[in-house]
């Protein structure tokens, strides 16, 4: 089922069909001419997200952060005298769906900009479409370098995996005192393949040894073969640059096989669902990510408070914070551009400098990425415990 989540009328995540949406739009104030993306006097922003499926918590968290930002901006009077209208499409965490929904948001809804995605492979699927249509796209949290390399309309508000891989390689060497590490990669995921590569490069440069390299395919449920081979190589730790569903299962099966060394990975481990899937077996593992609600600026504290109020007491994760920041950066760029046409908006996003955001201060660099610190978290006592912040 194709759905659009309407938020601009203050319905939160009320589910309405595309047909209802056009009716709602038709019933709004008279459109300001036939300017694309400005029907009904609103500025239309597209969002594509994994609201259901294997990585549903990524999409939901990111979406909730984005909605909060849009609602706050609108409550403060909107942008250029108009309200922002968020049109969200679910890609069901499935390959092939992002291109469909992004095409639809551009051609049928005339959005002026696109927010998304979390997973690098899905951002990579949509980016060429946004680029070809001159619709600026801001990924909140895709970390594979190739995403923004797609072209000059594609941006992100997070760090990239050469940094994240370095952070975790140094953590393995210095904190875990690991000399022999095994790597278990999801070969279906651009994120996983990239992060594995960047991790290995730095870990080897640190004088470490990669004692086993094994693969899986996202969606797999049985990792016993790979974990048996890894156990045989007698590592001090296992680097698993995966997403939470597989990481939870891998944690369980590792313990079942008597592989008790720590597992560690990147931001993809972050989800409340990890604890449901992996139970006690995830304890003692580590990850790097973009944000921890336990530390941060006054802005971050305010965000945690407002997010909890808006989303039934839920504590925001890194995905929510990055989603929030992506919408803030876009709104700020629209303001500075004083316009909503693609090239002007692109130039304004590219000119983002020292923008105070929840996950840190955002400056978009010449590669259209943000240079920001990472946090390292330990999985302990049924939650993510903040360990340290690593500056770029
Ligand atoms: N960085 C991951 C990717 O590029 C996505 C992700 C971001 C996952 C933040 C969890 C938290 O695929």
């Amino acid at each position: 089922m194709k759905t659009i989540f309407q938020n601009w009328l203050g319905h939160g995540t009320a589910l309405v069909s595309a047909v209802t949406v056009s009716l709602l739009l038709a019933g709004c104030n008279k459109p300001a001419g036939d300017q694309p993306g400005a029907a009904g006097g609103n500025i239309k922003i597209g969002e594509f997200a994994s609201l259901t499926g294997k990585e549903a918590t990524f999409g939901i968290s990111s979406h909730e952060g984005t909605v909060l930002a849009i609602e706050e901006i609108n409550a403060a009077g909107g942008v250029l005298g108009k309200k922002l209208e968020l049109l969200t499409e679910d890609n069901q965490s499935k390959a092939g769906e992002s291109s469909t929904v992004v095409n639809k948001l551009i051609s049928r809804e005339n959005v002026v900009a696109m927010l998304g995605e979390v997973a690098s492979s899905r951002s990579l699927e949509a980016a060429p479409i946004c680029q070809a249509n001159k619709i600026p796209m801001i990924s909140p949290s895709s970390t594979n370098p190739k995403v923004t390399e797609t072209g000059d309309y594609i941006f992100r508000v997070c760090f990239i995996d050469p940094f994240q891989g370095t952070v975790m390689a140094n953590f393995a060497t210095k904190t875990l005192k690991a000399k022999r590490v095994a790597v278990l990669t999801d070969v279906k995921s651009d994120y996983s393949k990239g992060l594995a590569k960047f991790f290995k490069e730095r870990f080897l440069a640190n004088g470490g040894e990669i004692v086993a390299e094994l693969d899986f395919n996202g969606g797999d449920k049985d990792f016993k073969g790979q974990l048996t081979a890894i156990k045989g190589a007698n590592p001090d730790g296992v680097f698993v640059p995966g997403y939470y569903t597989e990481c939870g299962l891998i944690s369980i099966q590792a313990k079942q096989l008597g592989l008790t060394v720590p597992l560690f990975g990147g931001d993809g481990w972050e989800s409340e669902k990890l604890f449901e899937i992996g139970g006690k077996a995830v304890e003692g593992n580590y990850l790097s990510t973009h944000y921890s609600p336990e530390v941060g600026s006054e802005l971050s504290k305010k965000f945690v408070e407002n997010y909890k109020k808006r989303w039934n007491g839920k504590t925001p994760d890194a995905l929510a914070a990055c989603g929030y920041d992506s919408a803030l950066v876009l709104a700020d760029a629209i303001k500075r551009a004083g316009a909503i046409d693609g090239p002007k908006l692109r130039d304004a996003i590219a000119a983002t400098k020292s923008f105070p955001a929840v996950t840190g201060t955002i400056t978009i660099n010449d590669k259209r990425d943000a240079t920001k610190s990472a946090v390292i978290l330990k999985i302990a006592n049924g939650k993510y415990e903040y360990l340290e912040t690593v500056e770029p």
Side-chain angles (χ1 to χ4, degrees):
M1 186 180 63
K2 298 274 162 46
T3 55
I4 288 187
F5 284 66
Q6 268 309 87
N7 303 298
W8 57 285
L9 290 172
H11 291 176
T13 50
L15 203 60
V16 285
S17 72
V19 176
T20 323
V21 170
S22 13
L23 289 176
L24 281 170
L25 289 172
C28 280
N29 305 332
K30 271 267 158 276
D34 53 1
Q35 206 179 9
N42 296 315
I43 297 175
K44 288 177 158 194
I45 294 168
E47 182 197 24
F48 64 113
S50 56
L51 298 170
T52 58
K54 201 164 73 66
E55 278 94 49
T57 69
F58 286 175
I60 292 168
S61 282
S62 191
H63 173 68
E64 288 173 349
T66 306
V67 167
L68 178 64
I70 301 270
E71 287 178 352
E72 288 178 0
I73 292 160
N74 286 343
V79 183
L80 307 182
K82 292 178 176 168
K83 295 270 188 263
L84 299 182
E85 177 186 341
L86 186 68
L87 298 162
T88 306
E89 287 281 344
D90 179 14
N91 57 32
Q92 306 160 56
S93 308
K94 281 188 196 150
E97 280 297 317
S98 294
S99 47
T100 306
V101 299
V102 161
N103 266 317
K104 178 178 155 194
L105 284 166
I106 295 173
S107 61
R108 217 180 296 166
E109 305 291 350
N110 284 320
V111 299
V112 304
M114 197 72 70
L115 297 175
E117 227 257 16
V118 170
S120 291
S121 295
R122 291 192 282 272
S123 287
L124 281 165
E125 196 184 305
I129 300 167
C130 294
Q131 178 69 31
N133 285 281
K134 297 192 166 52
I135 297 295
M137 166 177 145
I138 304 180
S139 164
S141 48
S142 284
T143 45
N144 187 281
K146 288 184 291 183
V147 172
T148 49
E149 285 165 12
T150 304
D152 59 352
Y153 279 83
I154 315 300
F155 301 87
R156 79 181 101 217
V157 292
C158 60
F159 57 64
I160 54 173
D161 285 331
F163 174 63
Q164 183 163 223
T166 300
V167 166
M168 286 320 270
N170 291 345
F171 175 76
T173 304
K174 289 184 196 147
T175 307
L176 297 180
K177 310 257 182 273
K179 298 224 157 41
R180 303 165 49 80
V181 163
V183 179
L184 182 53
T185 307
D186 176 355
V187 288
K188 264 203 187 159
S189 152
D190 293 287
Y191 158 76
S192 191
K193 287 185 286 186
L195 189 52
K197 170 176 171 278
F198 301 121
F199 169 83
K200 279 188 280 178
E201 282 169 10
R202 176 54 70 113
F203 189 67
L204 292 172
N206 285 349
E209 198 186 332
I210 304 292
V211 294
E213 287 185 59
L214 280 300
D215 290 348
F216 65 95
N217 289 296
D220 284 355
K221 302 221 153 36
D222 185 350
F223 305 90
K224 296 222 176 74
Q226 294 93 321
L227 291 166
T228 303
I230 287 173
K231 191 181 176 212
N234 195 27
D236 306 323
V238 187
F239 185 62
V240 188
Y243 291 152
Y244 63 91
T245 305
E246 289 83 7
C247 292
L249 296 173
I250 288 168
S251 300
I252 294 180
Q253 292 170 23
K255 292 265 153 64
Q256 285 170 349
L257 292 169
L259 181 62
T260 54
V261 295
L263 310 185
F264 56 106
D267 49 1
W269 276 73
E270 193 174 356
S271 169
E272 275 314 303
K273 283 267 181 229
L274 181 76
F275 300 94
E276 254 170 62
I277 298 165
K280 279 260 164 279
V282 297
E283 301 267 325
N285 295 337
Y286 300 89
L287 63 141
S288 53
T289 190
H290 309 262
Y291 168 82
S292 163
E294 288 181 48
V295 289
S297 57
E298 280 309 308
L299 206 66
S300 158
K301 282 186 203 134
K302 193 88 205 120
F303 165 70
V304 174
E305 210 181 290
N306 292 339
Y307 185 93
K308 281 186 174 163
K309 252 187 245 156
R310 178 63 178 87
W311 300 110
N312 302 321
K314 197 170 154 189
T315 302
D317 56 14
L319 298 126
C322 288
Y324 183 85
D325 285 352
S326 69
L328 286 195
V329 164
L330 176 60
D332 173 67
I334 298 174
K335 248 183 243 167
R336 281 185 290 104
I340 51 166
D341 70 285
K344 286 210 183 99
L345 208 45
R346 172 201 59 192
D347 292 348
I349 299 169
T352 301
K353 261 199 187 60
S354 308
F355 182 80
V358 163
T359 55
T361 304
I362 296 175
T363 295
I364 299 294
N365 65 27
D366 58 352
K367 298 200 161 114
R368 296 173 296 281
D369 304 324
T371 309
K372 289 171 45 216
S373 54
V375 295
I376 299 179
L377 309 177
K378 177 174 187 171
I379 303 171
N381 306 308
K383 56 183 166 46
Y384 295 104
E385 291 186 349
Y386 170 78
L387 274 191
E388 59 174 304
T389 300
V390 184
E391 302 296 336

